[in-house]
Amino acid sequence: MPTIELKNISKYICQEVNLKTLDKELLVLLGPNGAGKTTLLNIIAGLIDYKGSVLFDNLPVDKLSTSKREIGYLFQDLVLFPHLDVASNIAYGLRAKGEPLPKIKSRVDELLHFMKIRHLSSRYPKHLSGGEKQRVALARALALSPKVLLLDEPLSSLDTQTSKYLRTELRQLQKELGITTIYVTHDLVEAEEVADRIAIIYNGHVDQVATPEEVFFYPKNERVSDFIGAPNILNCDYCRSVGRGIMEVNCGGLSIIVPHDGNSVQRIALFPRDIYISDTKPPGPRVNRFKGVITSIKSADDAVRLEVKAGGNSLLAEMSHSIFEDMDLTVGKEVFLILKLRRIRAYEGKIG
Amino acid sequence: MSKLKRLSLGWGILPVAIFLAIWEIVARLDLIPGQFFFPPFSIVMQEFYYLTANGVLGHNFLSSLTRVLIGFCAGSIAGIAVGIIMGWRDVINKALNPIISLLYPIPALGWLPLLMLWLGIGEALPITIIFICSFFPVLYNTVTGIRNVDKDFIQVARTLGASDTKILTTVVLPLAIPNIFTGLRLESGMAWRVIIAAEMVAIPTGIGALLMKAESLIRIDIIIVCLIVLSVMCLSFEKFFAYMEAKLTTKWR
């Protein structure tokens, strides 16, 4: 399966975009709405004209029409043909290419079995659930054995539970088929779960291309950091395993318990929304509870952000306006920080 | 037939039966003065039988039916064909749309004086009127149907390797069927209304001509027979296209 490379691509909001996938990898294009993610996908598919060059396996495909690029494209709304039943939807591409009937039948049977939707073959899209539609759309995109798979927010129309289940399945499927895939989403959790690497797209620019861990622990700039939730990144100068996937780390004088299965921890990330603040000493064990002093308070539309000095660290915490008003917090006041154990991310290893 | 269907049919027929009964009673009891201006339903049916038996109704009906079928089929086929081209190709749409927009609002009967001078009084006249009456609305509905097909369907088909012709025939046209059939359904009824009017004004044969003859002879019963035939034909044509549309799209709509 080929690598995909974008060279100096310009179209709409996207200007001079350069991006390259690795062979057989699943690269997630992550960014807010209107960042240009779908535009890039449409450019790779050849659905819109553009400036610059798209290369599959280092060969330009700019002059090839969409039908000749050998891509499978899963659209955001899945776009199943309403007038065709499931089997005919899957067979559409094979029929369009004029494949012989026995070959079409056997390939459709194979995909119905592979996607576990054999029982749906004669149903029309209006009688399918969201998850079923997603499987049919994926089977249709895979019918022509494409070299490249393009997925445009494929799970956005599904409920959280189905979406969570299907992204695991989608990931397994991609690994099984070894097909180079570009996956567009604006959901950070979804991106983290499916990606080999994440490309952060903002205002038509690629801000960072890295593994999910690298994006979290080494955000390239403030914009990336803000997009992923502006986590507090702390360097660890000491760590030891305390068993059962739990480690104790020391960051700037704070001894923090983190969930981690590996051998060592270099950095930890704490999201501001996952740090509770209390103006009285919190009850319970003294684990992950620290004394600190408020050094600044910033009020935003959605929440109040407080900077708290604890040990040698300056931590950003977040709370709702109503809680903030109830607590009477001011700069210089001594408070207690409580870190949510399961929300602490630990990073082990070196950045490539 | 299921009990529910029988019940539903019964409810459909009952108001008509009551209406006919009231009509018969009012006419028989002479509640409206001058019975020949308002014959009972039974007399109308009797006249319907005579006209059918002596072939007058059949002959005129066939004349109208032939004109409607030829004019409507030709107009619809042409409307669909031009509509497909206009809907599918932007350039052609831009070129033809101003002309179509100019001609579409002219009522079909408005063409009558011009066509009488151009074509003379003959079979070509009513057929051309019906052609015009069907062509523009069917064309308009076809263009709308094709242009309203979600562009995503076309994009998907393209990513699946379909050629433009394939996309048109296997995706766009099937999805435009509801719109096209709306045009056909409405205009099939309209064709009957227009042919009657054209025959009343300019053609010596057909149901419309029979209506005018009956009027000059003050034969209300014959007039009502003609109106009933017209009503049944309008309804039958519209129902036929509604049935065809449902048959083609019920599975997926």
Side-chain angles (χ1 to χ4, degrees):
Chain A
M1 298 298 165
T3 57
I4 307 162
E5 187 174 1
L6 305 181
K7 267 190 177 172
N8 303 319
I9 291 292
S10 295
K11 180 76 182 182
Y12 307 140
I13 195 171
C14 301
Q15 292 301 320
E16 298 288 314
V17 171
N18 290 290
L19 185 66
K20 190 174 181 179
T21 69
L22 304 174
D23 188 25
K24 296 180 184 174
E25 88 164 332
L26 194 154
L27 177 72
V28 169
L29 303 187
L30 177 68
N33 289 331
K37 308 181 295 288
T38 301
T39 301
L40 291 178
L41 226 52
N42 287 339
I43 286 170
I44 297 167
L47 288 171
I48 50 176
D49 54 356
Y50 52 89
K51 280 184 191 161
S53 193
V54 177
L55 298 96
F56 287 179
D57 264 344
N58 302 318
L59 294 171
V61 292
D62 308 309
K63 288 192 176 139
L64 296 181
S65 65
T66 301
S67 56
K68 301 249 164 60
R69 292 194 183 191
E70 298 183 61
I71 51 142
Y73 196 143
L74 201 63
F75 284 69
Q76 185 171 358
D77 300 324
L78 305 177
V79 201
L80 292 175
F81 299 125
H83 60 294
L84 300 178
D85 62 21
V86 165
S88 301
N89 259 287
I90 298 172
Y92 187 87
L94 298 158
R95 284 197 182 126
K97 290 232 162 169
E99 297 288 358
L101 219 58
K103 191 180 168 186
I104 295 175
K105 199 178 169 323
S106 98
R107 179 70 176 143
V108 170
D109 275 350
E110 190 188 337
L111 284 162
L112 286 170
H113 176 73
F114 185 60
M115 300 300 296
K116 303 182 187 93
I117 47 172
R118 194 183 285 280
H119 60 293
L120 305 174
S121 70
S122 55
R123 279 202 210 161
Y124 282 82
K126 73 167 179 178
H127 298 301
L128 301 176
S129 69
E132 288 168 342
K133 279 183 188 164
Q134 208 268 352
R135 283 162 196 269
V136 176
L138 190 59
R140 183 179 65 179
L142 293 172
L144 290 167
S145 307
K147 285 182 179 169
V148 168
L149 193 56
L150 306 174
L151 310 174
D152 187 4
E153 307 211 20
L155 309 174
S156 61
S157 54
L158 303 176
D159 59 88
T160 321
Q161 205 58 33
T162 315
S163 164
K164 199 173 165 61
Y165 171 70
L166 281 176
R167 64 181 171 240
T168 314
E169 210 176 48
L170 202 66
R171 179 64 176 144
Q172 279 169 357
L173 203 74
Q174 191 267 340
K175 284 282 163 223
E176 207 173 308
L177 296 170
I179 186 167
T180 308
T181 302
I182 297 187
Y183 187 116
V184 162
T185 183
H186 60 265
D187 185 326
L188 188 64
V189 179
E190 188 178 330
E192 201 189 355
E193 276 184 27
V194 299
D196 286 318
R197 289 191 305 154
I198 294 175
I200 305 276
I201 314 281
Y202 197 88
N203 267 349
H205 291 278
V206 180
D207 271 357
Q208 185 172 7
V209 185
T211 63
E213 281 189 329
E214 286 168 353
V215 169
F216 274 106
F217 291 98
Y218 295 89
K220 196 173 171 185
N221 54 38
E222 207 168 309
R223 228 162 42 181
V224 175
S225 175
D226 281 348
F227 183 75
I228 61 172
N232 297 286
I233 306 289
L234 308 183
N235 287 312
C236 309
D237 41 39
Y238 165 81
C239 70
R240 73 177 181 99
S241 172
V242 291
R244 296 190 302 275
I246 302 285
M247 293 193 91
E248 184 186 5
V249 298
N250 191 294
C251 306
L254 301 181
S255 179
I256 303 172
I257 299 296
V258 299
H260 186 61
D261 269 330
N263 299 318
S264 66
V265 174
Q266 275 195 356
R267 286 183 148 196
I268 61 167
L270 306 164
F271 284 94
R273 60 178 177 274
D274 297 328
I275 300 176
Y276 291 136
I277 286 186
S278 168
D279 49 2
T280 55
K281 191 176 178 186
R286 289 173 62 187
V287 174
N288 288 2
R289 286 154 167 78
F290 308 104
K291 209 185 272 185
V293 175
I294 299 174
T295 53
S296 83
I297 298 172
K298 280 178 190 158
S299 180
D301 286 344
D302 54 337
V304 179
R305 295 190 176 87
L306 303 99
E307 213 169 321
V308 181
K309 182 122 179 87
N313 307 289
S314 187
L315 297 172
L316 198 64
E318 199 174 281
M319 62 171 57
S320 68
H321 284 280
S322 57
I323 294 176
F324 176 76
E325 280 156 21
D326 287 347
M327 289 175 75
D328 188 29
L329 300 173
T330 52
V331 172
K333 185 167 182 176
E334 195 170 80
V335 289
F336 292 88
L337 302 173
I338 306 149
L339 314 183
K340 279 195 204 171
L341 175 69
R342 293 288 159 198
R343 306 292 295 179
I344 303 172
R345 291 157 189 270
Y347 178 71
E348 173 182 357
K350 291 186 169 74
I351 295 301
Chain B
M1 198 186 287
S2 73
K3 198 176 170 184
L4 197 71
K5 270 191 176 172
R6 274 204 303 271
L7 203 68
S8 150
L9 194 69
W11 276 113
I13 290 172
L14 193 65
V16 179
I18 293 171
F19 170 74
L20 294 177
I22 292 171
W23 174 0
E24 185 73 22
I25 292 163
V26 168
R28 287 277 170 204
L29 296 178
D30 209 8
L31 294 177
I32 297 171
Q35 200 206 39
F36 65 88
F37 279 128
F38 189 63
F41 178 66
S42 56
I43 299 290
V44 172
M45 283 297 99
Q46 209 175 340
E47 193 53 37
F48 178 80
Y49 173 74
Y50 290 146
L51 287 172
T52 311
N54 64 22
V56 171
L57 187 63
H59 170 71
N60 284 291
F61 171 71
L62 277 179
S63 297
S64 295
L65 180 67
T66 311
R67 289 164 191 152
V68 167
L69 283 179
I70 296 173
F72 177 70
C73 289
S76 301
I77 291 168
I80 291 171
V82 179
I84 289 171
I85 299 167
M86 282 177 68
W88 190 233
R89 293 283 172 229
D90 241 5
V91 184
I92 296 173
N93 186 46
K94 276 180 187 154
L96 294 183
N97 198 33
I99 304 167
I100 303 290
S101 303
L102 212 62
L103 297 178
Y104 180 48
I106 301 172
L109 287 172
W111 293 92
L112 199 58
L114 193 64
L115 291 174
M116 282 167 78
L117 293 170
W118 280 352
L119 302 173
I121 306 289
E123 281 305 312
L125 179 64
I127 289 172
T128 310
I129 289 281
I130 297 300
F131 178 93
I132 293 170
C133 156
S134 315
F135 175 77
F136 289 107
V138 170
L139 166 89
Y140 183 78
N141 276 282
T142 307
V143 173
T144 308
I146 286 181
R147 294 183 80 81
N148 279 354
V149 170
D150 193 331
K151 296 286 173 283
D152 279 354
F153 290 122
I154 296 169
Q155 301 274 50
V156 168
R158 206 154 269 157
T159 66
L160 293 168
S163 63
D164 272 10
T165 318
K166 203 87 183 167
I167 293 171
L168 178 64
T169 54
T170 59
V171 176
V172 176
L173 277 178
L175 294 177
I177 278 179
N179 266 76
I180 295 173
F181 267 82
T182 300
L184 289 173
R185 181 165 51 80
L186 297 176
E187 291 320 304
S188 63
M190 186 53 80
W192 276 97
R193 293 178 195 109
V194 169
I195 193 70
I196 298 299
E199 286 169 348
M200 284 167 75
V201 176
I203 315 291
T205 56
I207 297 290
L210 186 59
L211 262 171
M212 289 314 285
K213 280 177 205 155
E215 189 272 342
S216 66
L217 296 170
I218 324 176
R219 289 294 302 273
I220 311 287
D221 47 356
I222 297 179
I223 292 174
I224 294 174
V225 167
C226 290
L227 293 179
I228 290 172
V229 170
L230 170 66
S231 163
V232 168
M233 290 317 292
C234 280
L235 204 64
S236 307
F237 269 54
E238 288 183 4
K239 288 284 177 198
F240 169 74
F241 283 105
Y243 168 78
M244 287 303 289
E245 181 189 346
K247 198 162 179 60
L248 288 168
T249 62
T250 303
K251 270 187 187 170
W252 58 272
R253 281 182 88 195

